[in-house]
Structure formats: C-alpha cells, structure tokens
Amino acid sequence: MSVSPRPAALTEEIGRTRLLPEQHGQSTSAQTVPLSILDNTVVRFALTSAVWYYDNPGEDSGALSAKLLASSLRKTVSVYPQWAGQLQWMPYDGSRSGQRHGRVCITYGSPTDPGVELIFARSPRSLASLVPDVTTRMDDGSWCADDLPSAQLFCSTKLALHNSSEYAGRPCISVQLTTFGCGGVSIALRLVHCIADAIAMFQFVQDWAATHRALLQHRPLPMLTPVFDPALLDGAATIGANSDTADPELLKISRALPMARFNWWASAPGCPEPMLSATAVPPELEGMDLGPPGDPMPWAEWDVFAPVSHYLLYFTPQEIERIWEDASLAAGLEGARISRLDALLAYIWRLVIRARGMEHDPELVHMFVTIGVRTRLTPPLPDAFLGSPITLARVSLPAEQVASSEPSMDSGVGARAIRSAVSSFSPAALGAYLHDAAHEVNPQRFWRAFLGRRHSIVTSWQNLDAYGVDFGSGAPPRYVDAVMPSMDGCIHVMEAGPSPAGRGDIETPARWYDSPVCVSLHLAAEVMAKLVRDVKLASS
C-alpha cells in the first residue's frame, strides 16, 4: 500500500447530482431486501470499479455528450431501482433466536433513497499523455501503469459502508464522467462490492451502453432483464440458511475446502494502524461463544506501507498456447487436465515468487483465486443475477516448488494445484459452505485471503468483453482500467484490447485466449523491478 505524497489532482469537479429511477415516488411502499449469504461476506472488500477511456469521437458525433450520458444512465437506473436504494445494516437483537450479526440489506422505493451519484469532471490533460494506445502498450510486452494515476482521476466520494459503519444518505454506486483536454471522455464506475461483482457491473454498463445507443439513434429502448433476487443464492445452502443451528456434517465438508480462515478479531497484535479498528469484537458480541477462532493474520509477512508498483504484462495467443502446452506436459505426468487460465496463473505465480527471491524457500506460499459460483450451483443462477456471488480458493505450495526451474516441474506443479483447488468447489461442497457461512456469528469476521510476501490474490475478468462497451461512438475504448487496490500481491487477468472483428459466433463462441491477454500486477516496488527485468530477459 503506497503512502507516497499525493500529487496534484488531475481533475476538476464541475458538478454532481443524484439520479433516482424515473418511477421513483409513484409508489408509497418501500421494500427492504436482505442481501445474500455471499454478499454479506464481501462487505469489507474493495469497491468493484473500472474506468473506460474513450478517444474524442468527433465534434459532430454527440455520442459521449455528458447530457445524453446522464439521461441514458437514469433510464438504466430505472431498471435497477434497488441500486438507487439505501444499503444498510440490518437491526440486530441478540436475544432473538436465529438472528445473526453483521447482515446487510437494501431498502428502495423510499422517499429517502440516496440514488446513484453522478459526478461531472474535466481534466486539461490529453488521454495520449496518460495512456498509450493498445498497440504501443503491447509492443514492449509490458507497460508501467504507474503513469496512469487512476486515484488522481477520481473525484472524492464516500459510498455506503465505506468505513463499515456510515451509510445513511450515502449511495452504493458512483459514476464519474470526465472530459479531457483532447475531447476524450472517461466513464468511471465505483460500486460497493456486496451489491455487485465484476459480472454484475459489466451487465449494468452494457445495459447502460445499449440504452444510450438507442437514445442516440432514436430507436426504441432495449428490454433489460437484470435479476435482483438474493434469496435464489441462499436457497442453494444445504438444509437452509435459516435453520437455528449448523449441521456438524456440513461444517466438516465446508471446512475441508481449500479456503483461508483469517480471523480479524484475533489479529490485533501487529496489525497496522489503518486496519486496527477491524480487529475489535463488536460490543454487542462481547462474551458470546464466537465459534472456532480461525487463524490470526500474518502481519509480519506484509509491509502495508512499502511502495507498490503497478505493471501490465501482455501475452499473445501464441504465448498463452505455449505456456499452456508446457504446463500441460508437466501436469500430464500426473494425469491432470488443466485450463489455459490455470497455466497462465501458475506462470505468473512462478514469476512473482522468483522475483520475491524465494526459489530455495521450503515454506508454503499461497495464491487466493477468486471464483464465481453462478454456474457452479445446481441449479445455476441466472446469467443476469445481480450481487456478488463469489468466494476465494486457497492454493498452497512450497515456494521452491512454485519457483522451480526444473523442466519436469516448471509451471505444471502450480497449474495442477490451482486446478485441484478450484475443482473442489462442487455444487455439494458449495451448498455446505453456504450453510456454514449462513451460520457464522458474523460473515465479515473471516478474510478468505491475505497479501504480502507469501500471498497473492487473483481476480479474472475474461470473457466479459470489456472493450466491447460501445456508447455509440463506433470505436472501442482506448483503455479499460480494472481498478484494483494498490497492494502487494494483487493480480488481475482480462483481455488486452478489442477483439478482432468477426471473432466468434453462435456455433463457435469467442475464447478469451484467442486474443492478447493483459495481466495486471501490483507488487512491492523492488519485487516488481526484478520481475520486469526477468520478463524482458526471458523474451529477448
């Protein structure tokens, strides 16, 4: 986590407003909906956030006019009325049987709905001075994204539960439209993670873009069909989330899954001051039986104040195929079948561990892989399901094995371990985990990941068509910034740029690895310097 002096702001705020659904106020009955089991587990997570940077579409286009973008946004919010509502804690009364602590809900349709925040800003800079085009970025195989200070392009805002306590009157979504000196425009979204993971965010922005194009071209508005029904996910919990007591056999299945159980409330010793408040047991739970304690967080492994660098590494389809073939050959010695994402993550993990100087370290290192559960449940959740139905699988190996340069191991051992961990999350195992999580005394008590020298967190956005978001300008975005925390060990995978025209059809759908791939890395600055040197040496 970098704490270097904050540079001068790159943007000037010129206005902000709150958008409410067009039908707001037409009904007198507000609705309160508890969020899902998994939504509750990610309340403390960083915001779900991305920025789309578009070059100047031309003076006569009007496609990216702030007025029209605001109008189309409001029409889209009208189909997502819950997201204009008030995210808040549910009341807790420990004397009531079955009531649980730390649960959130959304109330919407109320006169006091906070709405969706919309910020208008401008910057004198040109987009070309901030981010090179995709060809230039990829030519060298890597790009130092420190040159794009995303945090300085955001105007200040505090969303609901930004500090885990304040929420009244605060929105759960903020949208910022920034016009640059060159005539380019950026569209930035920030959402509280418990209402939307990346899939839900992309669905929203694609719906907004489709609505915007219809208004721009004077066509009928598209039919949008988001599914806001958190109970659908809760219904997948084996035996039910609302039973008074947890089933011991289901707990055994759940806790055999490869997952971390780092306990905030057992982690005060050594905790950095900015996070210390999260380690306090809530007063209303003092003296209660809190259940198994889990593990204290290994703060000695993470210097949260050390400078962090951000780089993007680019891989061609041919490189992805070679990495997969090499890992498959090694993994195949054990009869394992791995995916291209398994192979790529193992390759990156190996680079990171070597750059951290742990080639001869016999102790365990850990990669936490974010997995979505929409398609893993039986029956699966709808594609348009809103929320944050995700969890994290822990992959653990001795550092010396991950970093091995032996041809018989290479990335194969890491890829095989990743595949084994992710495959553990079967429908039955997830049902047991949901049952377990529903009966936790507080769902934010455990962090299923960690960062620092021995830990990495992976998020992947493949197949979300990030560069296909078209607000009617006819050109793909210059750059899509998947905004991740600037913390040592954050890894992110997505497409590197727009897909080739005509790639994929109904019979042969597009595959994320058929186009160049971008891997975003946030690592301690000295580690990143070594990793980039190693990558350049290997490719020379």
Side-chain angles (χ1 to χ4, degrees), residues 324-406:
W324 175 69
E325 289 173 351
D326 290 348
S328 295
L329 180 62
L333 298 174
E334 303 292 332
R337 182 176 177 84
I338 62 172
S339 72
R340 285 163 179 80
L341 183 60
D342 300 335
L344 178 60
L345 295 182
Y347 179 84
I348 295 298
W349 196 14
R350 178 171 174 266
L351 290 177
V352 170
I353 297 304
R354 292 176 67 86
R356 286 173 170 169
M358 304 171 75
E359 300 97 319
H360 306 295
D361 188 332
E363 300 299 320
L364 291 177
V365 290
H366 312 276
M367 173 179 277
F368 302 97
V369 180
T370 307
I371 58 174
V373 309
R374 283 177 177 82
T375 59
R376 292 177 180 270
L377 298 174
T378 301
L381 297 173
D383 291 342
F385 182 83
L386 300 180
S388 200
I390 61 171
T391 190
L392 291 117
R394 180 174 65 184
V395 187
S396 302
L397 285 172
E400 60 187 4
Q401 288 189 27
V402 176
S404 174
S405 58
E406 294 182 21

Side-chain angles (χ1 to χ4, degrees), residues 6 22 42 78 124 130 142 185 194 213 240 263 282-283 294 316 340 352 361 382 418 440 457 498 501 535:
R6 183 181 179 91
E22 293 176 325
V42 301
S78 298
L130 293 170
S142 64
V185 171
C194 62
R213 293 194 305 272
N263 184 357
T316 66
R340 285 163 179 80
V352 170
D361 188 332
I418 291 168
E440 284 286 359
I457 299 176
V535 169

Side-chain angles (χ1 to χ4, degrees), residues 8-11 122-131 147-149 153 178-184:
L10 295 177
T11 57
R122 62 190 171 202
S123 172
R125 299 283 297 273
S126 69
L127 287 182
S129 71
L130 293 170
V131 56
D147 296 334
L148 177 64
L153 293 169
T178 304
T179 303
F180 292 86
C182 59

Side-chain angles (χ1 to χ4, degrees), residues 62-109:
L64 299 179
S65 88
K67 182 177 180 180
L68 188 60
L69 284 166
S71 177
S72 58
L73 177 59
R74 188 184 185 204
K75 289 186 178 298
T76 308
V77 170
S78 298
V79 188
Y80 290 74
Q82 300 86 2
W83 287 7
Q86 181 66 72
L87 178 67
Q88 58 193 327
W89 293 113
M90 296 180 68
Y92 173 72
D93 180 354
S95 66
R96 293 177 58 186
S97 176
Q99 191 169 31
R100 294 173 184 126
H101 186 268
R103 268 55 175 182
V104 291
C105 62
I106 282 185
T107 297
Y108 65 100

Side-chain angles (χ1 to χ4, degrees), residues 510-527:
R511 301 175 302 186
W512 63 273
Y513 50 83
D514 287 338
S515 293
V517 174
C518 172
V519 178
S520 167
L521 298 175
H522 287 88
L523 296 172
E526 73 277 7
V527 173

Side-chain angles (χ1 to χ4, degrees), residues 179-345:
T179 303
F180 292 86
C182 59
V185 171
S186 71
I187 299 174
L189 273 71
R190 287 173 283 188
L191 303 92
V192 180
H193 210 305
C194 62
I195 67 160
D197 63 358
I199 291 177
M201 176 181 68
F202 272 85
Q203 178 182 324
F204 176 80
V205 78
Q206 289 282 12
D207 283 350
W208 177 16
T211 299
H212 186 81
R213 293 194 305 272
L215 292 180
L216 181 68
Q217 298 162 8
H218 306 288
R219 294 187 287 104
L221 295 181
M223 182 69 69
L224 309 180
T225 56
V227 178
F228 179 79
D229 189 358
L232 281 178
L233 188 145
D234 291 356
T238 307
I239 301 183
N242 295 319
S243 54
D244 287 341
T245 58
D247 182 277
E249 291 304 311
L250 292 176
L251 295 186
K252 187 182 300 184
I253 295 171
S254 170
R255 295 175 190 184
L257 284 168
M259 303 180 78
R261 288 176 60 86
F262 291 120
N263 184 357
W264 280 104
W265 301 347
S267 299
C271 179
E273 193 279 332
M275 304 178 186
L276 192 58
S277 62
T279 66
V281 178
E284 55 269 36
L285 298 181
E286 289 283 359
M288 290 182 58
D289 178 8
L290 302 178
D295 302 311
M297 297 184 187
W299 296 116
E301 296 288 349
W302 182 17
D303 181 357
V304 301
F305 300 108
V308 172
S309 184
H310 181 202
Y311 260 80
L312 306 183
L313 304 184
Y314 293 96
F315 297 87
T316 66
Q318 294 76 24
E319 288 171 327
I320 296 292
E321 197 70 10
R322 177 183 56 77
I323 290 170
W324 175 69
E325 289 173 351
D326 290 348
S328 295
L329 180 62
L333 298 174
E334 303 292 332
R337 182 176 177 84
I338 62 172
S339 72
R340 285 163 179 80
L341 183 60
D342 300 335
L344 178 60
L345 295 182

